[in-house]
C-alpha cells in the first residue's frame, strides 16, 4: 500500500454563514471565482476599452465555463493613474464602463445565471481627484486630517518625513504647494502620487467606507475583494523603516504594512457583512511575510478569505508546491478558514510565461520575472504544458480558487509592448527598468479575426487600449470552443468534474511519490502531477482528465497532471 498522510481537516462554517453551496458549505468556501479585469474583458461600445455592456454580453460564456462567481476590478470614476485603483468616487460607475443602471442590470443577469458578484474596494488610498483630497489641497483642515499630511524634515522642511518608498519607485511622499505659492507639507502615497493614503485613525474615514459597503451590498453585490488589505493601518508616528525598506517585498515589522491595528477595521466590516439576511463576504489581497500573519486576517470575526499567493509564487517544482500547500492548509485550519488558491492575476506575470523559463529554487519574485523578459527566451509551449498541469493541481485542492481572465485560454504574458504604449505607473516610476504589469492586462481575444480579435465590435471606432499580438488569433475563445484538446475545453471539463465531486473542504491525503512527482487523494480522486523531465509511473486506473496526452497506461508524461480513479 502506498504511504499516505492526511493534511488539513474539516473546517466548520461560522454560525452566520447560512447560505450554502451544493457541497453543503457556504458558497464562498468552495467557489471558483473568475476575475474580470473589466478594461480588457470585452468592449461593448467600440471605444477600445472593456465595459459593462461587453461583460453582460459574455455572461453566457462565463456560465458555460462553469465558474461560480465573478470578481470585477474597479469600475469607479478614476483618472487612471493606476488603472482604476485611484478612485475618485466609490458610489458611481466611470462613464467609460457604463452607468449605475448598467451595473444593476448586470447584477440581475448574474443572479439569473446563478453567478455571484464580488467587487473591488480600494480603502488604503483615494485618487488625488477625490473630493476629499481636492478640499485638502484647498486648505480644508478637516479634509487634510483624512489623509496623512506631515511636515518635512530638515531646516526648510524640504526632506520627506520618513524613508518609506513607493511601490512604484521613488519616495512615498510628495510635497504640496500651499495657496500662497510656498512649499508646504508632504502627503503619503505608498503607490503613485495620484493615490494619497487615507488616515484610518480618523473616524470619518471609517464611517465613509462602511457606508460604501452598505451602498453596494444593498444593490445585491455579494462581497468585496479588498485591495491592499494589509496597508490601511500604519505604525503611530510613521517612523523610518531603515533596513526593512525593501520595496514590494513583504517584510515583517515594516511600519507601513500589516500592522496589528488593521484588524479592528475588519472586525467592524465583518459585523456589517453579517448583518444581511444573506451574509456578504470579503477576500483580502494581503501581501504579508508568512502564512501565520495571513491567518490573522481570517479569524472567525474578521475576513472570510484571503488570496494564497504562495502558490502563485512557487516554482514548477513538486517539492516547492507540496511545501506551499502544506503550509497554506495548516495556516487556514488554525483559524477555521478555507484556503483560497490563485495562479495569476492582473498584477503578476501570467503563469504560462512564468513556467516557460528556468524555474528558480525559491519563491518567484515578480520584479525579477519581468526583468527576465529580454534576458531569457520563453518556451511558451513548455509554459503552456506546465500551466495546464498546474490548473488541474489547483482545482483539485480543498477550498476556493480564482481564475484570472484568459487563464482558461492559456494566454501568455505579452512581453513586447512598445515603451510608448505602456501605461502601468511601474514602468514610468522605475524609468523603464521594470516593464510593469501591462503584459498581463492585454485585451482578450474572442474570435480569430484582427484587428481586435473580437474584443471590440466590428464597427469599433478605436483600437484596443493595449495592443494585441498576432498569436491571439489561435488562442481566441471561439477558436478553442470546439477543440477537445484546447485549454478552454480543459478548464470547462475540469470545472464540471470539480463541481460534480471535487469541490469542497474534504482534506487531502498525500501519496508517496518520486522527488519530481506530486500526488494526493481527495473525494475518491487522485491528482498526479509530474514536474520532472521524464515520464513517471502512476497507478493504472481510469483517467478522468489529463492536462496532456497520457497514451501509455501507468505512465505520466513530463509537465503533465492527471485526475484518476485508481484501480
Amino acid at each position: 500500500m502506498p504511504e499516505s498522510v492526511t493534511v488539513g481537516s474539516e473546517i466548520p462554517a461560522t454560525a452566520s454563514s447560512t447560505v450554502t453551496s451544493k457541497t453543503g458549505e457556504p458558497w464562498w468556501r468552495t467557489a471558483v471565482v473568475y476575475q474580470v479585469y473589466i478594461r480588457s474583458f470585452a468592449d461593448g461600445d467600440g471605444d477600445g476599452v472593456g465595459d459593462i455592456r461587453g461583460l453582460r454580453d459574455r455572461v453566457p460564456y462565463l456560465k458555460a465555463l462553469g465558474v461560480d462567481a465573478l470578481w470585477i476590478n474597479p469600475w469607479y470614476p478614476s483618472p487612471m493613474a493606476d488603472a482604476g485603483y485611484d478612485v475618485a468616487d466609490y458610489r458611481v460607475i466611470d462613464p467609460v464602463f457604463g452607468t449605475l443602471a448598467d451595473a444593476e442590470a448586470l447584477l440581475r443577469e448574474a443572479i439569473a445565471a446563478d453567478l455571484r458578484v464580488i467587487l473591488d474596494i480600494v480603502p488604503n488610498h483615494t485618487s488625488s481627484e477625490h473630493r476629499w483630497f481636492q478640499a485638502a489641497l484647498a486648505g480644508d483642515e478637516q479634509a487634510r486630517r483624512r489623509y496623512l499630511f506631515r511636515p518635512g524634515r530638515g531646516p526648510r522642511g524640504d526632506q520627506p518625513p520618513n524613508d518609506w518608498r513607493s511601490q512604484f519607485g521613488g519616495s512615498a511622499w510628495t510635497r504640496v504647494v500651499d495657496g500662497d505659492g510656498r512649499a508646504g507639507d508632504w502627503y503619503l502615497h505608498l503607490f503613485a502620487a495620484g493615490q494619497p493614503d487615507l488616515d484610518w485613525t480618523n473616524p470619518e474615514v471609517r464611517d465613509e467606507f462602511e457606508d460604501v459597503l452598505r451602498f453596494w451590498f444593498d444593490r445585491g453585490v455579494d462581497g468585496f475583494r479588498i485591495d491592499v488589505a494589509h496597508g490601511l493601518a500604519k505604525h503611530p508616528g510613521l517612523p523610518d523603516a531603515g533596513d526593512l525598506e525593501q520595496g514590494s517585498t513583504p517584510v515583517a515589522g515594516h511600519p507601513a504594512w500589516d500592522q496589528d491595528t488593521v484588524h479592528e477595521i475588519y472586525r467592524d466590516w465583518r459585523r456589517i457583512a453579517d448583518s444581511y439576511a444573506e451574509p456578504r463576504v470579503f477576500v483580502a489581497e494581503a501581501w504579508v511575510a508568512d502564512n501565520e500573519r495571513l491567518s490573522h486576517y481570517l479569524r472567525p470575526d474578521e475576513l472570510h478569505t484571503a488570496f494564497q499567493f504562495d502558490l502563485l509564487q512557487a516554482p514548477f517544482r513538486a517539492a516547492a508546491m507540496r511545501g506551499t500547500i502544506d503550509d497554506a492548509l495548516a495556516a487556514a485550519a488554525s483559524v477555521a478558514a478555507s484556503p483560497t488558491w490563485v495562479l495569476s492575476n492582473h498584477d503578476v506575470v501570467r503563469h504560462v510565461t512564468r513556467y516557460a523559463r528556468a524555474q528558480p529554487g525559491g519563491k518567484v519574485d515578480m520584479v525579477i520575472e519581468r526583468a527576465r523578459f529580454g534576458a531569457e527566451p520563453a518556451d511558451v509551449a513548455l509554459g503552456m504544458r506546465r500551466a495546464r498541469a498546474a490548473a488541474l493541481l489547483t482545482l483539485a485542492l480543498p477550498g476556493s480558487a480564482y481564475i484570472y481572465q484568459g487563464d482558461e485560454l492559456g494566454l501568455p504574458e505579452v512581453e513586447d509592448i512598445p515603451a510608448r504604449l505602456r501605461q502601468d505607473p511601474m514602468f514610468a516610476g522605475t524609468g523603464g527598468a521594470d516593464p510593469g504589469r501591462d503584459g498581463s492586462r492585454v485585451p482578450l481575444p474572442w474570435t480569430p479575426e484582427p484587428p481586435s480579435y473580437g474584443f471590440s465590435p466590428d464597427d469599433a471606432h478605436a483600437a484596443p487600449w493595449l495592443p494585441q499580438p498576432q498569436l491571439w488569433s489561435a488562442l481566441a475563445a471561439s477558436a478553442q470552443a470546439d477543440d477537445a484538446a484546447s485549454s478552454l475545453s480543459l478548464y470547462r471539463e475540469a470545472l464540471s468534474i470539480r463541481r460534480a465531486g471535487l469541490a469542497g473542504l474534504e482534506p487531502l491525503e498525500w501519496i508517496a511519490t518520486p522527488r519530481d512527482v506530486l500526488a494526493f487523494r481527495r473525494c475518491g480522486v487522485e491528482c498526479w502531477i509530474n514536474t520532472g523531465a521524464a515520464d513517471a509511473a502512476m497507478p493504472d486506473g481510469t483517467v478522468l482528465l489529463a492536462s496532456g496526452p497520457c497514451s501509455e497506461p501507468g505512465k505520466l508524461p513530463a509537465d503533465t497532471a492527471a485526475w484518476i480513479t485508481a484501480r
Side-chain angles (χ1 to χ4, degrees), residues 372-384:
R372 295 167 78 187
F373 285 2
E376 182 182 343
D379 184 342
V380 175
L382 172 63
M384 177 76 80

Side-chain angles (χ1 to χ4, degrees), residues 128 130-147 149 176-182 184-185:
S128 58
H130 191 283
R131 67 186 188 285
W132 280 4
F133 195 73
Q134 288 296 302
L137 293 180
D140 185 328
E141 288 301 321
Q142 182 179 0
R144 285 172 73 92
R145 288 192 292 272
R146 296 167 182 154
Y147 295 91
F149 282 88
V176 301
V177 177
D178 290 337
D180 58 7
R182 291 184 295 181
D185 287 343

Side-chain angles (χ1 to χ4, degrees), residues 207-529:
D207 290 347
E208 169 70 3
F209 276 87
E210 290 177 7
D211 188 73
V212 169
L213 294 178
R214 292 187 180 95
F215 176 89
W216 290 105
F217 286 160
D218 290 347
R219 281 161 177 76
V221 168
D222 294 286
F224 281 99
R225 175 263 192 186
I226 305 170
D227 183 60
V228 195
H230 57 303
L232 279 58
K234 279 74 173 177
H235 192 287
L238 310 184
D240 281 345
D243 291 341
L244 297 175
E245 185 55 69
Q246 296 183 25
S248 62
T249 304
V251 178
H254 192 295
W257 305 111
D258 192 29
Q259 299 293 301
D260 289 338
T261 50
V262 77
H263 300 288
E264 300 169 9
I265 299 166
Y266 297 135
R267 291 187 184 99
D268 290 341
W269 285 23
R270 180 61 178 259
R271 283 190 284 271
I272 293 171
D274 286 349
S275 71
Y276 285 79
E278 181 175 339
R280 305 320 198 225
V281 302
F282 298 109
V283 56
E285 182 213 24
W287 293 90
V288 295
D290 53 46
N291 280 321
E292 191 273 332
R293 294 297 301 180
L294 187 66
S295 70
H296 294 178
Y297 293 80
L298 300 176
R299 289 174 287 204
D301 62 342
E302 293 191 42
L303 305 177
H304 303 76
T305 59
F307 292 125
Q308 181 43 252
F309 291 128
D310 283 354
L311 190 58
L312 178 152
Q313 295 176 288
F316 192 80
R317 297 173 182 262
M321 288 175 162
R322 174 166 175 168
T324 295
I325 292 166
D326 278 341
D327 191 39
L329 289 174
S334 72
V335 287
S338 57
T340 301
W341 310 103
V342 57
L343 289 175
S344 284
N345 62 38
H346 65 292
D347 283 332
V348 304
V349 178
R350 284 190 178 271
H351 59 282
V352 167
T353 299
R354 295 201 312 270
Y355 295 150
R357 294 187 167 100
Q359 296 300 285
K363 277 189 174 183
V364 176
D365 182 295
M366 292 302 155
V367 174
I368 294 175
E369 280 299 295
R370 291 192 290 267
R372 295 167 78 187
F373 285 2
E376 182 182 343
D379 184 342
V380 175
L382 172 63
M384 177 76 80
R385 292 195 299 273
R386 290 173 169 175
R388 289 167 63 102
L392 292 195
L393 170 70
T394 304
L395 293 173
L397 293 170
S400 60
Y402 279 67
I403 296 172
Y404 179 44
Q405 66 178 43
D407 284 358
E408 78 280 14
L409 302 178
L411 298 186
E413 187 86 356
V414 180
E415 300 180 328
D416 58 354
I417 298 173
R420 61 184 174 80
L421 297 179
R422 290 191 178 273
Q423 301 189 29
D424 187 356
M426 280 187 176
F427 179 71
T430 61
D434 186 335
R437 302 161 294 178
D438 292 321
S440 63
R441 302 173 176 185
V442 173
L444 294 190
W446 292 99
T447 62
E449 296 80 27
S452 75
Y453 302 99
F455 171 70
S456 297
D458 291 340
D459 60 352
H461 54 277
W465 71 282
L466 283 174
Q468 301 159 295
Q470 290 183 355
L471 64 85
W472 256 212
S473 180
L475 298 175
S478 65
Q480 296 193 40
D482 297 324
D483 179 359
S486 71
S487 180
L488 178 57
S489 294
L490 177 74
Y491 269 82
R492 284 177 172 171
E493 185 66 17
L495 291 173
S496 177
I497 294 172
R498 175 188 165 96
R499 183 182 291 266
L502 269 176
L505 294 171
E506 179 176 313
L508 61 81
E509 296 177 78
W510 290 115
I511 300 169
T513 59
R515 184 183 64 178
D516 292 330
V517 178
L518 194 66
F520 60 83
R521 183 183 302 108
R522 281 190 67 242
C523 307
V525 174
E526 294 183 5
C527 176
W528 288 73
I529 180 169

Side-chain angles (χ1 to χ4, degrees), residues 13-184:
T14 58
S16 62
S17 301
T18 56
V19 179
T20 59
S21 67
K22 293 178 181 178
T23 68
E25 297 286 347
W27 70 269
W28 47 269
R29 290 183 181 264
T30 62
V32 175
V33 184
Y34 187 94
Q35 180 188 351
V36 175
Y37 190 75
I38 192 165
R39 289 178 63 81
S40 298
F41 185 68
D43 170 20
D45 62 9
D47 66 353
V49 178
D51 49 38
I52 297 174
R53 182 191 303 181
L55 175 53
R56 290 174 65 189
D57 289 343
R58 302 296 180 180
V59 166
Y61 168 87
L62 297 170
K63 177 65 175 176
L65 181 60
V67 297
D68 303 296
L70 314 179
W71 155 32
I72 303 172
N73 288 100
W75 55 10
Y76 316 107
S78 169
M80 296 294 166
D82 183 21
Y85 283 92
D86 48 318
V87 179
D89 190 332
Y90 292 84
R91 298 176 182 82
V92 181
I93 302 296
D94 192 308
V96 76
F97 300 132
T99 66
L100 186 58
D102 293 332
E104 291 171 338
L106 170 66
L107 292 171
R108 290 192 297 271
E109 290 161 10
I111 290 170
D114 197 26
L115 292 171
R116 308 276 181 166
V117 175
I118 296 170
L119 300 184
D120 235 312
I121 192 166
V122 188
N124 179 70
H125 47 262
T126 70
S127 166
S128 58
E129 294 188 10
H130 191 283
R131 67 186 188 285
W132 280 4
F133 195 73
Q134 288 296 302
L137 293 180
D140 185 328
E141 288 301 321
Q142 182 179 0
R144 285 172 73 92
R145 288 192 292 272
R146 296 167 182 154
Y147 295 91
L148 292 163
F149 282 88
R150 295 291 186 273
R153 295 194 287 197
R156 293 182 297 276
D158 57 358
Q159 299 298 315
N162 65 28
D163 65 354
W164 296 0
R165 305 289 292 174
S166 163
Q167 298 295 286
F168 297 152
S171 173
W173 295 91
T174 291
R175 198 174 192 184
V176 301
V177 177
D178 290 337
D180 58 7
R182 291 184 295 181

